[in-house]
Each structure stands twice: as C-alpha cells, then as structure tokens.
Amino acid sequence: MRCNLLKGKSNNKKNQLITKDKGLPFTKEISKKRTLYLMMLPGLLFFFIFHYLPMIGVVIAFQDFDPVKGLFGSKWIGLKNFEFFFKSDAMATVTFNTIFYNVIFIVTGLGLSVLFAILFFETGSKILTKTYKSIMLIPYFMSWIVMQYVLTAFLNMDSGILNKILQTFGIEPVNWYWEASYWRWIFPIAYLWKVVGYYSVIFVAGITGISTEYYEAAKIDGASKIKQVRYITIPLLMPIVITLFLLQAGKIFYGGLGDWSMFFTLPNETGFLLETTDVIDTYVLRALRGMNEPGMAAAVGLYQSLVGLILVTFSNYLVRKYDKDSALF
C-alpha cells in the first residue's frame, strides 16, 4: 500500500513537471532549449530563403508580367494566364499521361523496392548483398542525359541491341521512336531501372532495424520464411512505405516525380511520340519556350502545386484512417 502511494506521488510530480514544461511561454521555451533551436536555425533559414521567400513570385500567375515594372508594377489580368492551359486541346492528354505514369511509378517502384530489399536481406551473404546493392545503385547516379544514350543504344533502329536480338529470332526490327504505344512500357521500365536500387537500400536499412527476437520467436513457432516476411517484415516496413508514398503522392502532377527531364530527353523530342510521352511539364516547356510568357508558366506551376497539396492532404487522410501513427499530420 505504501509503495503504491509513493508511486502515485512520484507519478503526480512527473505529470506536474510535464504540465509546467508545456505551459512555458514561447520566449522562455526558446531560452530553455536555445541549443536545439540554434541547431535548427540553418535548416530553417535554408527553407525560408529557397522555398518560402520565392513564393512571392506566385503573383506572376495573375499578371501580364513585365520584368522592367517588376512584381508589383505589372498589370493584373486575373485568370487569363490559366486559359492558356485549360483551354488547350492537349490538356486532357497531358493530364492523363502525367497521372498514369506517376501512379505506375509509385505503385511498382515501392512494390519492387520492398521485394528486392527482402531478397537482399535473405541472401545471407554480406559480400553478395553489398555487391547487388552497389550494382543496382549505379543507374540512380546517372543523369537522364546519360540514360538517353543508354536507351538509344538499346532502341536504335539499325544498330540497337534490342533489334539485333529480335533479328536473331527472325522478327523484323522495330522503329521504337516512331511507335507511340511502346512508350507506355519504356518509361516505367527506364524509371524502375533507375530508382529501384535506391529505394531498396532504404528498405534494407529498415529491415536491419527490426529486432531479431521477432524472427527467433517465429522460428520457434515453426513459421516458414514466407510467413516471417508476411507477418513480420512487411507489417514493420509499412510505416516507411507509407511515408515514402505520402512524399511521392504530392508530386503526382509533376512529370516523373520531379524528374520531368526523363520525359523530355528519353524520346529525343520526337513528335510522333507526343501522344504517350507528353506530360504537363514538357507541354508547358515546349509551348512557352518560344513564347517567353512567364505568367503562363507560373499559372501552370501554381495549378500543379495546389493539386499536389490536395493530393497530399487527401492521401494523409486515408492513411490516418488506416493507421494514425503513420500519418504525417
């Protein structure tokens, strides 16, 4: 009884300290934890200067921008800059392509990355695991310009590796840069080849952090490797999967999750392929490159950002319904 009273008193004291600490004014809070806030300062300044300060330029989307007059001297024209995109004939095509490719990239990218991470972890040999990871990471460090040359070596009509293989089986060579339908497959394959190795390393780190006690207990209960992966590895990796999913969901309206240059460089700007290769970013770049209209470019950029915000918020809402602890906010 006495022990319980003592425990109760100690718990009350802890709660009082926590409540007192939470009730500190903002200035006193900063003064008390100034070392931590000083450590945060460089990062906060970086985001403020390079991410928040440029947001003032959003006003260009509603102006007939004149560099001489500046942001606050240019003529306001309302929503006319948005008409450039929303009234164009290509809006439906580029919007569909942007969503289609990015959904494929997110689903297959995360799925294959988890699969390869599990295979790496189950290899058993540290030397082989490091070798496989190093090989798969090489494409990630290549730029899309380099990837363009690699792809051309495979898809060239006359001397491409893929056409040479087809000819050995008696199949006529294919002009990959004239057939738009093939690029529904070429883009996802190129993207996965480039990024799966990077994300698999992240998931390998997550698997390494799982306590071996779970697997030992599962072995004692007679669980096979497949059941260990199904009931231990995958559930414990879900917070990482959800976090990466939420981070990528906001970039669905950006070509290639920010790598819009993939859509611009890999097809070699071939007009025959625009039906399946043109996304919002490449459309705006091509349309505005000769027009020099920053207001129109800013309008489409604002449209993409707002849709991205909506997608992140909605995705986070769905995640909260599934698991509150895994949600970003």
mmCIF file of all heavy atoms in Angstrom, residues 60-61 63-67 77 80-81 84 284-285 287-301:
data_model
loop_
_atom_site.group_PDB
_atom_site.id
_atom_site.type_symbol
_atom_site.label_atom_id
_atom_site.label_comp_id
_atom_site.label_asym_id
_atom_site.label_seq_id
_atom_site.Cartn_x
_atom_site.Cartn_y
_atom_site.Cartn_z
ATOM 1 N N ILE A 60 2.916 36.406 -60.175
ATOM 2 C CA ILE A 60 3.152 36.468 -61.624
ATOM 3 C C ILE A 60 2.062 35.727 -62.381
ATOM 4 O O ILE A 60 1.730 36.067 -63.523
ATOM 5 C CB ILE A 60 4.538 35.892 -61.961
ATOM 6 C CG1 ILE A 60 5.644 36.728 -61.321
ATOM 7 C CG2 ILE A 60 4.770 35.814 -63.468
ATOM 8 C CD1 ILE A 60 7.034 36.157 -61.505
ATOM 9 N N ALA A 61 1.489 34.682 -61.756
ATOM 10 C CA ALA A 61 0.443 33.899 -62.416
ATOM 11 C C ALA A 61 -0.794 34.729 -62.719
ATOM 12 O O ALA A 61 -1.600 34.346 -63.576
ATOM 13 C CB ALA A 61 0.068 32.700 -61.544
ATOM 14 N N GLN A 63 -0.622 38.100 -63.494
ATOM 15 C CA GLN A 63 -0.167 39.356 -64.095
ATOM 16 C C GLN A 63 0.270 39.160 -65.543
ATOM 17 O O GLN A 63 0.616 38.047 -65.957
ATOM 18 C CB GLN A 63 1.033 39.919 -63.311
ATOM 19 C CG GLN A 63 0.758 40.332 -61.890
ATOM 20 C CD GLN A 63 2.021 40.801 -61.194
ATOM 21 O OE1 GLN A 63 3.125 40.396 -61.534
ATOM 22 N NE2 GLN A 63 1.864 41.665 -60.202
ATOM 23 N N ASP A 64 0.243 40.260 -66.283
ATOM 24 C CA ASP A 64 0.931 40.329 -67.567
ATOM 25 C C ASP A 64 2.341 40.838 -67.237
ATOM 26 O O ASP A 64 2.636 42.020 -67.348
ATOM 27 C CB ASP A 64 0.209 41.292 -68.515
ATOM 28 C CG ASP A 64 0.873 41.337 -69.884
ATOM 29 O OD1 ASP A 64 1.753 40.484 -70.146
ATOM 30 O OD2 ASP A 64 0.544 42.241 -70.659
ATOM 31 N N PHE A 65 3.188 39.902 -66.820
ATOM 32 C CA PHE A 65 4.446 40.268 -66.166
ATOM 33 C C PHE A 65 5.393 40.990 -67.116
ATOM 34 O O PHE A 65 5.628 40.569 -68.249
ATOM 35 C CB PHE A 65 5.126 39.010 -65.623
ATOM 36 C CG PHE A 65 6.412 39.285 -64.887
ATOM 37 C CD1 PHE A 65 6.394 39.917 -63.660
ATOM 38 C CD2 PHE A 65 7.635 38.918 -65.435
ATOM 39 C CE1 PHE A 65 7.568 40.194 -62.972
ATOM 40 C CE2 PHE A 65 8.816 39.175 -64.758
ATOM 41 C CZ PHE A 65 8.775 39.817 -63.523
ATOM 42 N N ASP A 66 5.911 42.105 -66.603
ATOM 43 C CA ASP A 66 6.901 42.903 -67.318
ATOM 44 C C ASP A 66 8.133 43.005 -66.422
ATOM 45 O O ASP A 66 8.067 43.586 -65.336
ATOM 46 C CB ASP A 66 6.347 44.305 -67.611
ATOM 47 C CG ASP A 66 7.299 45.118 -68.483
ATOM 48 O OD1 ASP A 66 8.488 44.732 -68.611
ATOM 49 O OD2 ASP A 66 6.866 46.151 -69.024
ATOM 50 N N PRO A 67 9.287 42.440 -66.849
ATOM 51 C CA PRO A 67 10.487 42.471 -65.999
ATOM 52 C C PRO A 67 10.914 43.882 -65.610
ATOM 53 O O PRO A 67 11.497 44.083 -64.543
ATOM 54 C CB PRO A 67 11.552 41.800 -66.878
ATOM 55 C CG PRO A 67 10.793 40.968 -67.843
ATOM 56 C CD PRO A 67 9.521 41.707 -68.096
ATOM 57 N N ILE A 77 -4.161 40.772 -64.590
ATOM 58 C CA ILE A 77 -5.078 40.294 -65.633
ATOM 59 C C ILE A 77 -5.960 39.149 -65.149
ATOM 60 O O ILE A 77 -6.590 38.450 -65.948
ATOM 61 C CB ILE A 77 -4.293 39.861 -66.885
ATOM 62 C CG1 ILE A 77 -3.268 38.772 -66.544
ATOM 63 C CG2 ILE A 77 -3.621 41.051 -67.548
ATOM 64 C CD1 ILE A 77 -2.573 38.201 -67.752
ATOM 65 N N LYS A 80 -6.472 35.070 -66.746
ATOM 66 C CA LYS A 80 -6.234 34.884 -68.178
ATOM 67 C C LYS A 80 -5.046 33.964 -68.468
ATOM 68 O O LYS A 80 -5.028 33.261 -69.475
ATOM 69 C CB LYS A 80 -6.016 36.243 -68.845
ATOM 70 C CG LYS A 80 -7.288 37.059 -68.969
ATOM 71 C CD LYS A 80 -7.064 38.319 -69.773
ATOM 72 C CE LYS A 80 -8.358 39.101 -69.927
ATOM 73 N NZ LYS A 80 -8.157 40.345 -70.719
ATOM 74 N N ASN A 81 -4.036 33.978 -67.597
ATOM 75 C CA ASN A 81 -2.879 33.104 -67.816
ATOM 76 C C ASN A 81 -3.252 31.633 -67.710
ATOM 77 O O ASN A 81 -2.608 30.774 -68.334
ATOM 78 C CB ASN A 81 -1.779 33.422 -66.787
ATOM 79 C CG ASN A 81 -1.023 34.683 -67.127
ATOM 80 O OD1 ASN A 81 -0.819 35.006 -68.299
ATOM 81 N ND2 ASN A 81 -0.610 35.431 -66.116
ATOM 82 N N PHE A 84 -4.515 29.612 -70.988
ATOM 83 C CA PHE A 84 -3.529 29.016 -71.902
ATOM 84 C C PHE A 84 -3.522 27.496 -71.785
ATOM 85 O O PHE A 84 -3.497 26.776 -72.784
ATOM 86 C CB PHE A 84 -2.142 29.573 -71.573
ATOM 87 C CG PHE A 84 -1.008 28.706 -72.042
ATOM 88 C CD1 PHE A 84 -0.666 28.643 -73.375
ATOM 89 C CD2 PHE A 84 -0.276 27.928 -71.138
ATOM 90 C CE1 PHE A 84 0.370 27.851 -73.812
ATOM 91 C CE2 PHE A 84 0.759 27.134 -71.554
ATOM 92 C CZ PHE A 84 1.092 27.094 -72.898
ATOM 93 N N VAL A 284 4.258 22.419 -71.193
ATOM 94 C CA VAL A 284 4.470 23.832 -70.864
ATOM 95 C C VAL A 284 5.822 24.311 -71.385
ATOM 96 O O VAL A 284 5.947 25.407 -71.933
ATOM 97 C CB VAL A 284 4.367 24.050 -69.337
ATOM 98 C CG1 VAL A 284 4.767 25.472 -68.961
ATOM 99 C CG2 VAL A 284 2.954 23.751 -68.859
ATOM 100 N N LEU A 285 6.842 23.459 -71.231
ATOM 101 C CA LEU A 285 8.178 23.836 -71.691
ATOM 102 C C LEU A 285 8.197 24.053 -73.197
ATOM 103 O O LEU A 285 8.738 25.053 -73.692
ATOM 104 C CB LEU A 285 9.191 22.759 -71.294
ATOM 105 C CG LEU A 285 10.636 23.021 -71.686
ATOM 106 C CD1 LEU A 285 11.168 24.255 -70.979
ATOM 107 C CD2 LEU A 285 11.512 21.819 -71.338
ATOM 108 N N ALA A 287 5.586 24.654 -75.153
ATOM 109 C CA ALA A 287 4.671 25.722 -75.558
ATOM 110 C C ALA A 287 5.213 27.108 -75.229
ATOM 111 O O ALA A 287 4.952 28.071 -75.955
ATOM 112 C CB ALA A 287 3.321 25.520 -74.871
ATOM 113 N N LEU A 288 5.959 27.202 -74.140
ATOM 114 C CA LEU A 288 6.423 28.516 -73.689
ATOM 115 C C LEU A 288 7.850 28.833 -74.100
ATOM 116 O O LEU A 288 8.302 29.963 -73.934
ATOM 117 C CB LEU A 288 6.310 28.608 -72.162
ATOM 118 C CG LEU A 288 4.909 28.427 -71.579
ATOM 119 C CD1 LEU A 288 4.948 28.563 -70.074
ATOM 120 C CD2 LEU A 288 3.939 29.435 -72.177
ATOM 121 N N ARG A 289 8.562 27.837 -74.616
ATOM 122 C CA ARG A 289 9.962 28.067 -74.960
ATOM 123 C C ARG A 289 10.115 29.166 -76.002
ATOM 124 O O ARG A 289 11.051 29.977 -75.939
ATOM 125 C CB ARG A 289 10.595 26.760 -75.461
ATOM 126 C CG ARG A 289 12.098 26.842 -75.629
ATOM 127 C CD ARG A 289 12.711 25.458 -75.735
ATOM 128 N NE ARG A 289 12.018 24.631 -76.693
ATOM 129 C CZ ARG A 289 12.398 23.381 -76.989
ATOM 130 N NH1 ARG A 289 13.440 22.848 -76.385
ATOM 131 N NH2 ARG A 289 11.722 22.668 -77.862
ATOM 132 N N GLY A 290 9.181 29.227 -76.947
ATOM 133 C CA GLY A 290 9.277 30.253 -77.986
ATOM 134 C C GLY A 290 8.401 31.464 -77.727
ATOM 135 O O GLY A 290 8.452 32.436 -78.475
ATOM 136 N N MET A 291 7.553 31.406 -76.654
ATOM 137 C CA MET A 291 6.611 32.496 -76.403
ATOM 138 C C MET A 291 7.109 33.479 -75.345
ATOM 139 O O MET A 291 6.665 34.616 -75.298
ATOM 140 C CB MET A 291 5.271 31.907 -75.941
ATOM 141 C CG MET A 291 4.573 31.067 -77.003
ATOM 142 S SD MET A 291 3.147 30.179 -76.343
ATOM 143 C CE MET A 291 2.116 31.531 -75.817
ATOM 144 N N ASN A 292 8.008 33.022 -74.474
ATOM 145 C CA ASN A 292 8.561 33.876 -73.422
ATOM 146 C C ASN A 292 7.457 34.531 -72.594
ATOM 147 O O ASN A 292 7.368 35.752 -72.457
ATOM 148 C CB ASN A 292 9.464 34.954 -74.040
ATOM 149 C CG ASN A 292 10.287 35.683 -72.981
ATOM 150 O OD1 ASN A 292 10.543 35.126 -71.909
ATOM 151 N ND2 ASN A 292 10.679 36.905 -73.279
ATOM 152 N N GLU A 293 6.579 33.670 -72.019
ATOM 153 C CA GLU A 293 5.470 34.144 -71.199
ATOM 154 C C GLU A 293 5.599 33.573 -69.782
ATOM 155 O O GLU A 293 5.047 32.509 -69.471
ATOM 156 C CB GLU A 293 4.129 33.722 -71.809
ATOM 157 C CG GLU A 293 3.759 34.453 -73.072
ATOM 158 C CD GLU A 293 3.358 35.896 -72.798
ATOM 159 O OE1 GLU A 293 3.148 36.234 -71.625
ATOM 160 O OE2 GLU A 293 3.269 36.674 -73.762
ATOM 161 N N PRO A 294 6.316 34.246 -68.883
ATOM 162 C CA PRO A 294 6.491 33.730 -67.515
ATOM 163 C C PRO A 294 5.182 33.642 -66.746
ATOM 164 O O PRO A 294 5.034 32.820 -65.847
ATOM 165 C CB PRO A 294 7.446 34.736 -66.868
ATOM 166 C CG PRO A 294 7.326 35.976 -67.680
ATOM 167 C CD PRO A 294 7.035 35.528 -69.075
ATOM 168 N N GLY A 295 4.206 34.486 -67.078
ATOM 169 C CA GLY A 295 2.921 34.445 -66.385
ATOM 170 C C GLY A 295 2.201 33.137 -66.603
ATOM 171 O O GLY A 295 1.620 32.564 -65.675
ATOM 172 N N MET A 296 2.230 32.623 -67.833
ATOM 173 C CA MET A 296 1.590 31.349 -68.144
ATOM 174 C C MET A 296 2.306 30.190 -67.449
ATOM 175 O O MET A 296 1.675 29.269 -66.922
ATOM 176 C CB MET A 296 1.572 31.132 -69.656
ATOM 177 C CG MET A 296 0.705 32.116 -70.410
ATOM 178 S SD MET A 296 0.744 31.833 -72.191
ATOM 179 C CE MET A 296 -0.301 33.174 -72.762
ATOM 180 N N ALA A 297 3.629 30.240 -67.447
ATOM 181 C CA ALA A 297 4.401 29.197 -66.776
ATOM 182 C C ALA A 297 4.107 29.191 -65.271
ATOM 183 O O ALA A 297 3.946 28.132 -64.658
ATOM 184 C CB ALA A 297 5.894 29.407 -67.013
ATOM 185 N N ALA A 298 4.015 30.366 -64.665
ATOM 186 C CA ALA A 298 3.711 30.479 -63.239
ATOM 187 C C ALA A 298 2.304 29.977 -62.938
ATOM 188 O O ALA A 298 2.060 29.367 -61.890
ATOM 189 C CB ALA A 298 3.858 31.922 -62.785
ATOM 190 N N ALA A 299 1.369 30.203 -63.849
ATOM 191 C CA ALA A 299 -0.011 29.754 -63.648
ATOM 192 C C ALA A 299 -0.092 28.237 -63.601
ATOM 193 O O ALA A 299 -0.745 27.662 -62.723
ATOM 194 C CB ALA A 299 -0.900 30.297 -64.771
ATOM 195 N N VAL A 300 0.579 27.579 -64.543
ATOM 196 C CA VAL A 300 0.567 26.111 -64.554
ATOM 197 C C VAL A 300 1.315 25.563 -63.344
ATOM 198 O O VAL A 300 0.907 24.570 -62.741
ATOM 199 C CB VAL A 300 1.188 25.571 -65.863
ATOM 200 C CG1 VAL A 300 1.213 24.052 -65.854
ATOM 201 C CG2 VAL A 300 0.391 26.069 -67.059
ATOM 202 N N GLY A 301 2.409 26.225 -62.951
ATOM 203 C CA GLY A 301 3.145 25.797 -61.764
ATOM 204 C C GLY A 301 2.300 25.897 -60.503
ATOM 205 O O GLY A 301 2.334 25.016 -59.643
#
